[in-house]
Amino acid sequence: MKKNHFKQMFAGLVVGAAFGYAGFKAGSALFSPIHLDTAAEKITGGVLVVFALWFALAVHELAHLCAGLWQGFRFHLFIVGFLGIRRRPDTDTIEAYLNTDPQLFGGVAATMPVQEYPDLTKRFARVVIAGPLGSLALCFVAGISGWALLNAGGLAGRYLALFLLTAAAASLMFFLATTVPGRTGMFFTDRARFFRLIAGGKTADIERAMLELVAYTQAGKPLEQLNMANVELVRQDPDYAVYADFYAFSHHLALGQEEQALAVAKRLEI
């Protein structure tokens, strides 16, 4: 991998650490009124915090997914943590499964257009921005509800307040992480992708092609049938060229075209 991609990855880690530290400090102040005294109460509270973090991430990805379905796209994949739901390429049926790929724990929602729409780029833009908007909505709803329950006297009320406030805080962090920076590591954030899509012209075509490639491959569809026109288009963008080469390498390898795969591998420096 080239040096600039290592730099981008390092920058993403720094941004993530900064957001994490800020969230920890804010959470410590916010949750201080919630008293959990016994060991059993603290363990239950810890489980609720973990579930609330998962729930906030699930809402973010679900917003992407619902926006895609609303645009007329077809469901292919939904992953949050260990939960995976996919459309099987061989039977075209939907199944739930245990996700064991740590690269996908952060969440993936893939929907694909079923026809060529005249406003396809704008439809993709709506799908992309739906995630941050969903997180922002959950932040307000859960935050207001949790704040109202903050001084609840019963244990159940304190548990619910803990869950809601954790979900609100996590949703705020997801919103900021996907809108404030232009990148998180090597990848464009949702906000950056949205503006690339609505910019029109070649930039929008490249972003749309990239999203189609990601959705296609993450859904587990055969690499032999990968749309190489999209790959060639994506390769023209210096930010995405390495991904285009990786997709091309995988495509040639799946077809048994070893010489072509080797030529691409040389560009990838692997």
Side-chain angles (χ1 to χ4, degrees), residues 125-137:
R126 295 176 192 131
V127 173
V128 166
I129 203 61
L133 293 179
S135 291
L136 188 61

Side-chain angles (χ1 to χ4, degrees), residues 60 64 128-129 131-132 177-179 181-182 188-195:
H60 182 95
H64 284 306
V128 166
I129 203 61
T178 55
T179 56
F188 286 108
T189 60
D190 289 337
R191 186 264 305 169
R193 280 182 166 171
F194 173 77
F195 282 110

Side-chain angles (χ1 to χ4, degrees), residues 66-151:
C66 290
L69 297 177
W70 177 53
Q71 296 303 305
F73 294 178
R74 196 166 189 246
F75 168 80
H76 282 280
L77 186 69
F78 178 78
I79 296 177
V80 180
F82 289 104
L83 172 65
I85 303 174
R86 64 190 173 194
R87 182 182 297 277
R88 290 180 59 94
D90 52 346
T91 62
D92 201 39
T93 57
I94 296 176
E95 66 173 9
Y97 70 99
L98 180 67
N99 172 49
T100 58
D101 186 349
Q103 298 182 77
L104 303 181
F105 283 170
V108 176
T111 54
M112 291 282 287
V114 295
Q115 64 187 62
E116 189 65 33
Y117 302 97
D119 61 342
L120 184 57
T121 300
K122 290 183 179 179
R123 291 175 186 251
F124 268 118
R126 295 176 192 131
V127 173
V128 166
I129 203 61
L133 293 179
S135 291
L136 188 61
L138 178 60
C139 174
F140 278 110
V141 173
I144 293 172
S145 302
W147 186 262
L149 292 169
L150 194 58
N151 296 314

Side-chain angles (χ1 to χ4, degrees), residues 46-260:
V47 172
L48 283 174
V49 166
V50 173
F51 179 63
L53 294 173
W54 178 90
F55 178 77
L57 180 58
V59 168
H60 182 95
E61 295 301 331
L62 192 61
H64 284 306
L65 179 65
C66 290
L69 297 177
W70 177 53
Q71 296 303 305
F73 294 178
R74 196 166 189 246
F75 168 80
H76 282 280
L77 186 69
F78 178 78
I79 296 177
V80 180
F82 289 104
L83 172 65
I85 303 174
R86 64 190 173 194
R87 182 182 297 277
R88 290 180 59 94
D90 52 346
T91 62
D92 201 39
T93 57
I94 296 176
E95 66 173 9
Y97 70 99
L98 180 67
N99 172 49
T100 58
D101 186 349
Q103 298 182 77
L104 303 181
F105 283 170
V108 176
T111 54
M112 291 282 287
V114 295
Q115 64 187 62
E116 189 65 33
Y117 302 97
D119 61 342
L120 184 57
T121 300
K122 290 183 179 179
R123 291 175 186 251
F124 268 118
R126 295 176 192 131
V127 173
V128 166
I129 203 61
L133 293 179
S135 291
L136 188 61
L138 178 60
C139 174
F140 278 110
V141 173
I144 293 172
S145 302
W147 186 262
L149 292 169
L150 194 58
N151 296 314
L155 181 59
R158 297 201 301 273
Y159 280 151
L160 184 56
L162 177 63
F163 171 81
L164 291 172
L165 290 175
T166 301
S171 294
L172 177 60
M173 299 305 292
F174 290 143
F175 171 78
L176 294 175
T178 55
T179 56
V180 174
R183 291 174 178 270
T184 50
M186 295 182 292
F187 302 98
F188 286 108
T189 60
D190 289 337
R191 186 264 305 169
R193 280 182 166 171
F194 173 77
F195 282 110
R196 282 169 62 89
L197 284 165
I198 66 173
K202 188 174 181 180
T203 297
D205 291 339
I206 289 173
E207 192 63 41
R208 187 186 74 182
M210 183 65 184
L211 288 170
E212 288 179 349
L213 288 171
V214 170
Y216 184 91
T217 54
Q218 294 291 355
K221 289 188 169 291
L223 293 171
E224 295 89 340
Q225 299 174 21
L226 195 66
N227 187 338
M228 293 304 291
N230 278 346
V231 173
E232 293 302 321
L233 180 60
V234 168
R235 183 180 284 118
Q236 298 176 38
D237 189 314
D239 291 308
Y240 284 150
V242 65
Y243 305 114
D245 284 336
F246 177 77
Y247 288 133
F249 173 79
S250 302
H251 171 75
H252 292 310
L253 206 60
L255 289 173
Q257 299 171 342
E258 297 181 1
E259 290 186 7
Q260 293 92 325

